[in-house]
Amino acid sequence: MCWVGIWSALLHWLIAIFNLVTYVRYMTNFTAEIFGFYVGIVYIQKGIEFILDDFRDSSTQGFLSVVICFGFFFSYWTLTHIGQSNHFTRTIRDFLVDYAMILCVIFWSGFSQIPGHLRSTHVQQLPVGSAFQPTLSNRSWLIIPSDVNIAYIFIALPFAFLVTALFYFDHNVSSLTAQAKHYPLQKPAGFHWDFFLLGWTTLIAGFLGLPYPNALVPQCAMHTDALAHWKVEDAVENQVPTAVVTIHRSRRAAQQYSLVQIQEQRLTNTGQSLLCLLTMAGPFLTCYSFITRAVLAGVFISIGWGSVEVNAITQQFLHLIRDPNHMRTDDPLLQLSRWKIFSYTLIMLFGFIILFAISQTIAAIGFPILVLLLIPVRIFILPKLFNDEELTILDSPVASSLPLDSIGGLPARLQPKRAQQIHPVAYF
Amino acid sequence: MQFQPFGAFLFDKKSRLIDSFVRRTMKDLNAIPFLLTSQPSITNHQTSNDDSDYSAHFTSIRYPFAGMIRDVRLRLPHYLSDWRITLSYRIVAATIRIFFLNVIPALAYAFDLYLRSDHYYGVNEALLSSALGGENSR
């Protein structure tokens, strides 16, 4: 793995140095949403695998895992959705969205320790090692790359190609979704430099024997959401005329929230990395050891479902089966015929099915190449099936001009042919 | 030119480099308000108002390091403001939220890797990997 890290770092640097990151600007919602859908489904599948594994020892343990996992999913989903709905006050909603994950993890991990039948059933818990030591007790942190058979060094090279292709796609799509159109970002992006630094982290991770870090699709957009500042304005024009003319003196008039600023800084990212480092200390590891495997399965399913729920494939399909009387009048999809939306969704679903099928076979390790093949499909094949206006509505670029400026702006093929209104999604 | 002292030539070149660095940074920074107010259809071609073809420069394979240097140049003026932020509750809450949203799936992956890699990758590796680069995956 160290040599895979070294070769992969070299490839990352070559890609960053020779400006090959600019081809990221050809990635549109088509590729990003298919990949996001795939990531969500794979997360859910992984959660289910965790539960199935718990059935190995005894069926009681397995059924308890099922209960904990779906209890976690239900409670996390409910708390997060209350946080994104229009109930309670903004402070309570912020609190729920921020702390839902940890509250549910704590509750459902402790759930299996409730005295009685629950406590007597053994559940598999997170195996932790000693503080700040590598897990395998007979190795040191640093790996010497030179005491390896020379053949293995060159066998590592194709794996490094695959890791680089995966990171090229995953990391850059995550960066694009974190800088999507509806976020009012002010500072410029740096895709080339970012990819260069990713090579460095891969190298360091290779030398220390760690799994390689890269940006993951669900968490990046959540980070930007966490830093959003919403401004309150009095919504005079949106008040629905009702039979009640006067508002009682104890009630407040309606206010509307609009996304005004994203607080762009380096502190939160550094802070959470330092917190990760801090929790490698002894007492925190003991806390981690109480987390049961079923709860981790629930975490996977929750995050996977969250990714599937907001995905364009799901949203377009829901739009197709929605009662026309309940459509939003400014929905851009209303400009197209239902057959066009259906065929576009089918094409995206077909791309996802191919990706998923390949990843279940022995050729799973080569699926990043398939993901990169989605880009030529979008550039060359889709314009033959849909005309320009339809593609503008169905498949817009992920990020706005400022982040894309770092990689050269939107290419000529993908420029929208009609100006479109971009609506920030206001949950409050 | 060749009769000037060697040191003076070097000094000229260095000040010219710094001068062009500052000039190009200011030109890029001045283009940002235009980029912010524009529709996604405006490419970089229309923001540069001098003769150099900007987008071809740092997007083509013939100019190594151009993209990286331009990225650093654009973000360097923001470096101090990146760190000089008022510690509001939003920052603390965002740090905690994104910490848990990273570490718990990282632990989940760590469990999976622990079993599949014969106890080689464990919780400590996953935590260190998250500390190194934000989110952790493979």
Side-chain angles (χ1 to χ4, degrees), chain A residues 298-316:
Chain A
V299 165
F300 266 136
I301 295 185
S302 305
I303 297 189
W305 175 252
S307 190
V308 163
E309 204 177 11
V310 300
N311 198 280
I313 299 181
T314 327
Q315 295 298 324
Q316 281 164 6

Side-chain angles (χ1 to χ4, degrees), chain A residues 16 39 65 122 130 132 146 189 245 248 254 338 413:
Chain A
V39 164
S65 300
H122 166 74
S130 41
F132 295 105
S146 56
V245 182
H248 192 263
R338 288 174 51 162
R413 282 177 198 273

Side-chain angles (χ1 to χ4, degrees), chain A residues 98-156:
Chain A
D98 283 334
Y99 301 111
M101 169 70 80
I102 187 59
L103 287 174
C104 292
V105 165
I106 291 177
F107 179 78
W108 289 101
S109 297
F111 180 80
S112 60
Q113 302 294 327
I114 293 178
H117 286 291
L118 290 170
R119 193 171 199 145
S120 59
T121 312
H122 166 74
V123 281
Q124 224 180 344
Q125 294 185 322
L126 193 65
V128 291
S130 41
F132 295 105
Q133 302 296 322
T135 303
L136 213 54
S137 46
N138 59 0
R139 80 170 183 102
S140 70
W141 273 118
L142 200 62
I143 300 180
I144 316 291
S146 56
D147 50 328
V148 175
N149 197 356
I150 192 90
Y152 287 127
I153 297 180
F154 291 100
I155 289 177

Side-chain angles (χ1 to χ4, degrees), chain A residues 139-409:
Chain A
R139 80 170 183 102
S140 70
W141 273 118
L142 200 62
I143 300 180
I144 316 291
S146 56
D147 50 328
V148 175
N149 197 356
I150 192 90
Y152 287 127
I153 297 180
F154 291 100
I155 289 177
L157 189 54
F159 290 106
F161 265 109
L162 295 166
V163 166
T164 309
L166 175 68
F167 279 17
Y168 185 84
F169 200 86
D170 197 7
H171 189 88
N172 287 316
V173 166
S174 312
S175 299
L176 282 176
T177 49
Q179 299 170 95
K181 280 196 294 281
H182 59 271
Y183 295 124
L185 296 165
Q186 305 284 325
K187 299 187 186 175
F191 281 87
H192 305 272
W193 182 246
D194 194 23
F195 207 66
F196 178 71
L197 290 178
L198 192 66
W200 276 106
T201 58
T202 314
L203 185 74
I204 298 176
F207 272 111
L208 291 176
L210 314 171
Y212 311 131
N214 80 321
L216 294 180
V217 175
Q219 282 97 327
C220 274
M222 290 182 194
H223 196 171
T224 317
D225 277 329
L227 294 164
H229 282 272
W230 298 81
K231 197 178 74 158
V232 171
E233 5 183 82
D234 286 328
V236 179
E237 62 274 10
N238 279 357
Q239 281 178 355
V240 178
T242 63
V244 176
V245 182
T246 54
I247 299 180
H248 192 263
R249 61 178 183 276
S250 69
R251 312 291 297 267
R252 184 163 60 80
Q255 293 169 316
Q256 194 173 21
Y257 290 89
S258 55
L259 183 56
V260 137
Q261 188 206 3
I262 305 280
Q263 201 161 0
E264 302 170 67
Q265 30 70 50
R266 293 174 191 241
L267 189 61
T268 53
N269 212 350
T270 316
Q272 66 99 17
S273 298
L274 284 176
L275 276 177
C276 283
L277 211 53
L278 198 67
T279 54
M280 270 216 308
F284 295 107
L285 283 183
T286 321
C287 292
Y288 284 150
S289 74
F290 283 114
I291 302 179
T292 58
R293 188 172 178 170
V295 164
L296 294 178
V299 165
F300 266 136
I301 295 185
S302 305
I303 297 189
W305 175 252
S307 190
V308 163
E309 204 177 11
V310 300
N311 198 280
I313 299 181
T314 327
Q315 295 298 324
Q316 281 164 6
F317 182 66
L318 287 176
H319 170 94
L320 285 172
I321 56 178
R322 189 169 289 143
D323 191 337
N325 295 327
H326 288 267
M327 299 268 200
R328 271 171 46 206
T329 42
D330 51 359
D331 194 348
L333 286 178
L334 280 175
Q335 302 169 49
L336 303 169
S337 81
R338 288 174 51 162
W339 175 246
K340 285 286 177 185
I341 304 179
F342 184 61
S343 49
Y344 184 74
T345 313
L346 269 188
I347 293 176
M348 288 177 80
L349 209 53
F350 186 61
F352 155 71
I353 287 174
I354 293 185
L355 259 184
F356 192 68
I358 297 287
S359 75
Q360 300 302 306
T361 67
I362 196 77
I365 203 153
F367 91 95
I369 309 292
L370 215 67
V371 172
L372 287 175
L373 280 181
L374 282 175
I375 304 180
V377 166
R378 163 66 182 90
I379 306 272
F380 298 116
I381 301 183
L382 277 196
K384 294 192 169 58
L385 302 170
F386 301 91
N387 67 33
D388 288 331
E389 280 185 12
E390 290 158 356
L391 275 181
T392 308
I393 298 171
L394 284 169
D395 177 28
S396 44
V398 183
S400 65
S401 353
L402 182 56
L404 283 181
D405 177 60
S406 154
I407 37 182

